[in-house]
Amino acid sequence: MNPWMKWILLATPLALTQCRSSSVAPIGTVTPDGNDNGNLAHGQGNVAYEAPPHTFSARPHPPRSRSDAPPPNLAALPKMVQRMDQCYGGSGGAVATGGPHGGSPIAKSPSKPAPPKPAYKQVKYSQSTSPSSPSPVQTTPVGGTAANKGGGGIAAGRGSSSDYDAVAAAPQSPPPPPTTQTKVAGGERAEAKREAPGDANMSRLEKKKKDRGRDKAAEAAPATAAPSMGEGQVAYGGAEDESSVAYEPMPRPDAEQYSDWGQATYLSNDDTMSLSSAQRVIFAIDKFLPVPLEHIRPHELLNYFSFETAEVAATDDFSVLPEIAKDPKQEGIYNLALAIRGRPVDKQARRNGNLTFVVDRSGSMSDEGRMDYLKRGMRRMIGELKTGDLVNVVLFDHEVCVPVENFVVGRDKPETLERAIDKMKPRGSTDVHAGLTRGYELADRGYQPTYNNRVVLVTDALANTGNTDPRTMAMVAKYYDERKIRLSGVGVGTEFNDALLDKLTERGKGAYVFLGSEAEVDAVFGPRFISLLETTAMDVHFQLHLPPSLRMNVFYGEESSAVKEDVQAIHYFANTSQLFLSDVMARGGKLRPQDQIMLTIEYEDPESGQKMLEERAFSLAEIEREAYNIRKGRLLIAWADRLALMASRPQPMGTAPIAGAWIDADGWQQCEQGKADLRDMSQGMNDPEVTRVVSLWDKFCARYEQPRNPVRRTPASQPDGWPGAR
């Protein structure tokens, strides 16, 4: 054959490939991710991708040397003040006992004018591109970052935020409510009359993004529209989509439509102890209650259940167990699982706590045994305290009272704390803002630099008195988080305000759990109490680096973005783990075992405040296998998909919280198909949690009227898992 003709025949397919794709940068240019595009024009569609092996150089880090927390100086801690008679009835005033410092009822601080608030940016969006929008979305920050400056008075040097300097000056004086619209979060209308036009048709994630824009407007930042979601978030929406867009396999587009091969992506599954949606879903299934679509958040389901993890080396704060396997249903797609585990901490090793429990004792706490759950949990918590822990108890209804202030474990009589818990009774209406503000004030006044300073809010969050604007309360939480006082939220009751507690703990970067059974109560305030309080790392960012042969297709988490500022940093709680599950697209349809991936973990040491970094690089050859974590992750996502599909169906008329009360023949048929699918996926998985998930689906389907009795199975127990997962 003529050599020129041979060259033309070989070059023609490549030229046609380039002509068909407008998203591929010209050869020799540099793509937005910084990769030389000389090789990126090859390996698209069904053409094999050829390039030298792509490797990463993980940066070394100095060894982390950890030891048990130092013994506390009990004599230096403030004197206990108890006000039982004031809070529970009777005569007599405050009684002060204990250490060298006198105690007195709280006095209001003189009010100071708040300085103007600077603009700052905090926007979340998905980086993944869609066929209609092939280029990665980029945004430009508005304004600056939130300013940190030294706090005045007792908290000087710990830092504060200009978002809420008025609170520092007068913590008991509520700030002026923002003038922007009230957020509609989690699919629940906080105030329907103030909802913006079109909000009702938005997905939960879109509402969350729009709400953050409103928050920024309230803080004097110019409003900007959140960029559109990409392919991965349209498919699963970070677990926050509505039924109109979610939970159907998406067609696999041609690889040539993308220019984000090798894009480094920041990933977040929310805080490791944010488990409320999974706990609420299980609670609703067990009680034959409706399962709201906005409660089905796959990333929290992945947080809730356990996965195989690697041991954390003595020199590290994290371990990473990566696995990748071909997706059985999608050509050219691979499932990537990153199991991340934090450094283990026991009671002896954990820091002492300056713990302020803000307890809801309003009349609604009498419903469904909510107060009984609360008191059971706090009694259980006493056994988890250690010598030197400092405890405050704040009660709120329409009023606020502090029965115990500055109780020190090992110094003061335990009967005092037990009595304060036993005498709690529901009464009055609910002023969450007043209780939370008083709790933060006590925590701030008794701040201990070497302690874990934390507020624990236990409530049904049905705010109906005082300042009920969730943004105002969230600003308080954000302000004190920057003063190193953290927030954990504990929700109780079927009707508790998920949107409010979610917003508070999001801005306070804290844990968020739900008490739906005695087993959950005993776990949260018992073996998992350390996880509710102690953090392994603060302000954590996870960044996944992919080689040019891979791109992010779908991330089954809460947030993903190529821009660090668009993914909120999280706090990583002690003795917890997370599974980052994603679908990645292989260039040319096949995995290149010679390439590497890398995970970067940036965080702040909770004790010293020092900036830290750990990196791990792995070759695809060493992590490619049909791994157990991937199989379990697929099953949990499939379970979430089917729950979302059923939750999006119209609720039948005449339903009741009993088996067989839902009359919906089509719904029953879809449930039967789901049973078959989940059982097929669970074959060969000898895992009590998998058995529990399959049985939960059976229990969910039992609400529908059936032509025959459902199959009942008793799941085995698993000591390490959450009680609701057993």
Side-chain angles (χ1 to χ4, degrees):
M1 180 183 294
N2 187 309
W4 288 103
M5 181 62 69
K6 184 177 181 179
W7 183 89
I8 292 171
L9 291 175
L10 290 173
T12 299
L14 177 60
L16 290 175
T17 300
Q18 294 178 22
C19 291
R20 286 198 303 267
S21 173
S22 61
S23 66
V24 177
I27 296 176
T29 63
V30 176
T31 59
D33 57 0
N35 290 316
D36 188 326
N37 206 44
N39 290 315
L40 297 189
H42 303 279
Q44 299 177 4
N46 296 321
V47 181
Y49 171 58
E50 296 181 0
H54 189 93
T55 60
F56 294 97
S57 297
R59 288 169 284 181
H61 63 267
R64 320 294 191 214
S65 102
R66 305 288 182 183
S67 58
D68 290 347
N73 182 359
L74 301 185
L77 295 173
K79 180 182 293 186
M80 185 188 75
V81 180
Q82 64 94 354
R83 307 180 183 89
M84 299 289 185
D85 292 337
Q86 292 182 14
C87 294
Y88 299 121
S91 59
V95 178
T97 62
H101 306 293
S104 61
I106 299 169
K108 292 186 178 180
S109 304
S111 178
K112 299 179 183 178
K117 308 180 184 75
Y120 73 96
K121 173 168 176 59
Q122 187 183 25
V123 177
K124 301 179 183 179
Y125 77 104
S126 170
Q127 170 272 331
S128 301
T129 55
S130 64
S132 60
S133 178
S135 299
V137 180
Q138 302 291 334
T139 60
T140 302
V142 295
T145 58
N148 291 333
K149 58 183 179 180
I154 189 170
R158 286 193 282 120
S160 66
S161 168
S162 53
D163 285 339
Y164 214 73
D165 278 342
V167 176
Q172 296 188 69
S173 303
T179 57
T180 53
Q181 292 173 306
T182 299
K183 175 186 177 184
V184 181
E188 300 175 11
R189 289 172 174 79
E191 290 184 62
K193 66 181 180 180
R194 299 176 67 181
E195 184 175 351
D199 275 4
N201 297 322
M202 299 171 67
S203 74
R204 186 179 187 275
L205 186 58
E206 288 170 323
K207 289 176 182 177
K208 195 171 184 179
K209 292 175 182 176
K210 187 169 183 179
D211 175 56
R212 285 184 179 162
R214 292 172 181 168
D215 286 344
K216 288 184 294 181
E219 294 162 2
T224 55
S228 59
M229 295 185 294
E231 176 196 351
Q233 297 300 90
V234 170
Y236 288 88
E240 306 194 19
D241 314 75
E242 302 295 342
S243 58
S244 60
V245 296
Y247 311 106
E248 295 218 358
M250 297 193 66
R252 177 178 171 269
D254 291 337
E256 64 219 34
Q257 299 187 44
Y258 301 101
S259 61
D260 60 345
W261 299 100
Q263 176 70 68
T265 307
Y266 289 92
L267 307 174
S268 173
N269 270 6
D270 204 351
D271 290 322
T272 53
M273 278 294 291
S274 290
L275 308 170
S276 67
S277 73
Q279 292 166 323
R280 295 198 74 186
V281 165
I282 293 172
F283 176 81
I285 291 174
D286 283 337
K287 303 294 183 182
F288 296 103
L289 300 172
V291 180
L293 186 62
E294 61 269 16
H295 291 173
I296 304 169
R297 305 170 195 164
H299 63 279
E300 289 194 17
L301 290 172
L302 294 175
N303 284 352
Y304 183 82
F305 291 96
S306 59
F307 291 88
E308 294 178 350
T309 58
E311 292 293 328
V312 181
T315 56
D316 300 337
D317 284 328
F318 292 95
S319 70
V320 181
L321 178 62
E323 297 161 338
I324 192 167
K326 185 175 177 58
D327 189 290
K329 297 182 179 180
Q330 302 181 81
E331 183 182 355
I333 300 297
Y334 289 78
N335 307 132
L336 174 64
L338 301 170
I340 301 168
R341 178 180 175 183
R343 172 174 49 86
V345 179
D346 59 18
K347 183 175 178 179
Q348 183 62 31
R350 78 163 172 87
R351 292 175 295 169
N352 276 109
N354 171 28
L355 309 176
T356 300
F357 291 89
V358 179
V359 177
D360 186 346
R361 66 165 178 178
S362 62
S364 59
M365 292 294 288
S366 63
D367 299 338
E368 305 173 324
R370 298 173 194 174
M371 181 59 73
D372 293 336
Y373 276 178
L374 186 156
K375 293 167 72 171
R376 179 188 179 105
M378 293 196 69
R379 291 190 193 102
R380 182 71 175 82
M381 172 270 301
I382 292 176
E384 299 299 321
L385 298 175
K386 60 185 288 188
T387 299
D389 284 344
L390 185 67
V391 180
N392 300 311
V393 178
V394 177
L395 306 176
F396 72 91
D397 42 80
H398 56 283
E399 299 175 331
V400 179
C401 192
V402 182
V404 177
E405 179 181 355
N406 298 331
F407 174 90
V408 175
V409 179
R411 185 195 71 185
D412 301 320
K413 294 182 179 179
E415 293 81 6
T416 304
L417 191 56
E418 293 168 357
R419 184 177 169 221
I421 295 170
D422 290 340
K423 293 177 72 67
M424 294 177 185
K425 292 181 181 179
R427 46 160 267 185
S429 53
T430 311
D431 192 340
V432 178
H433 175 73
L436 187 63
T437 302
R438 180 67 65 87
Y440 270 123
E441 178 195 356
L442 283 177
D444 193 46
R445 193 167 73 183
Y447 181 86
Q448 302 296 316
T450 61
Y451 276 38
N452 175 11
N453 296 270
R454 185 168 296 273
V455 170
V456 181
L457 175 63
V458 189
T459 179
D460 58 17
L462 299 177
N464 54 24
T465 301
N467 191 329
T468 60
D469 191 328
R471 290 163 304 154
T472 303
M473 289 180 266
M475 288 169 64
V476 176
K478 181 178 184 296
Y479 165 79
Y480 280 106
D481 181 77
E482 295 188 1
R483 292 175 70 82
K484 302 187 183 302
I485 299 174
R486 317 304 181 185
L487 175 68
S488 291
V490 181
V492 291
T494 306
E495 302 298 328
F496 94 100
N497 189 340
D498 177 82
L500 175 58
L501 215 51
D502 184 47
K503 186 174 183 65
L504 289 178
T505 53
E506 179 188 347
R507 296 301 291 271
K509 298 180 187 173
Y512 172 26
V513 297
F514 170 71
L515 304 181
S517 68
E518 291 184 350
E520 292 279 3
V521 172
D522 291 343
V524 168
F525 289 99
R528 300 296 177 120
F529 186 66
I530 292 178
S531 301
L532 186 69
L533 303 180
E534 186 62 281
T535 48
T536 299
M538 311 292 293
D539 293 325
V540 186
H541 273 109
F542 297 98
Q543 186 183 27
L544 174 63
H545 304 265
L546 296 175
S549 60
L550 295 176
R551 64 172 295 275
M552 179 68 68
N553 196 53
V554 177
F555 175 58
Y556 299 94
E558 186 181 34
E559 297 179 309
S560 65
S561 174
V563 180
K564 183 177 182 179
E565 290 74 19
D566 291 342
V567 175
Q568 178 170 288
I570 68 162
H571 294 338
Y572 209 93
F573 286 81
N575 303 333
T576 61
S577 61
Q578 286 190 325
L579 186 80
F580 287 170
L581 185 65
S582 60
D583 294 344
V584 294
M585 180 184 293
R587 199 176 187 90
K590 292 185 178 180
L591 204 66
R592 284 167 43 93
Q594 65 269 38
D595 288 346
Q596 286 188 338
I597 64 169
M598 185 171 73
L599 185 71
T600 299
I601 309 174
E602 301 175 81
Y603 59 102
E604 179 182 297
D605 184 274
E607 299 175 24
S608 67
Q610 180 182 356
K611 298 295 183 182
M612 315 287 272
L613 180 142
E614 291 186 16
E615 285 188 330
R616 309 279 192 281
F618 307 92
S619 70
L620 296 177
E622 66 178 314
I623 69 173
E624 184 180 8
R625 54 185 170 270
E626 187 62 23
Y628 191 83
N629 282 349
I630 291 178
R631 289 193 61 196
K632 188 171 182 178
R634 286 174 187 156
L635 183 138
L636 289 173
I637 295 299
W639 181 53
D641 289 352
R642 283 155 180 77
L643 284 173
L645 180 65
M646 302 304 291
S648 65
R649 295 180 57 80
Q651 187 172 326
M653 297 294 293
T655 58
I658 57 174
W662 294 44
I663 303 174
D664 182 351
D666 185 56
W668 177 84
Q669 185 61 47
Q670 291 195 36
C671 256
E672 288 296 296
Q673 182 59 52
K675 285 183 184 180
D677 293 343
L678 292 176
R679 284 175 183 147
D680 286 344
M681 296 182 73
S682 66
Q683 290 298 317
M685 300 182 70
N686 186 23
D687 183 338
E689 289 188 349
V690 169
T691 303
R692 176 60 171 152
V693 168
V694 175
S695 67
L696 279 169
W697 182 257
D698 291 345
K699 181 73 173 288
F700 176 84
C701 293
R703 67 186 59 203
Y704 291 99
E705 184 184 51
Q706 304 175 26
R708 60 182 182 275
N709 292 330
V711 177
R712 301 291 185 183
R713 290 187 291 174
T714 303
S717 63
Q718 183 178 11
D720 313 358
W722 282 91
R726 296 204 290 268

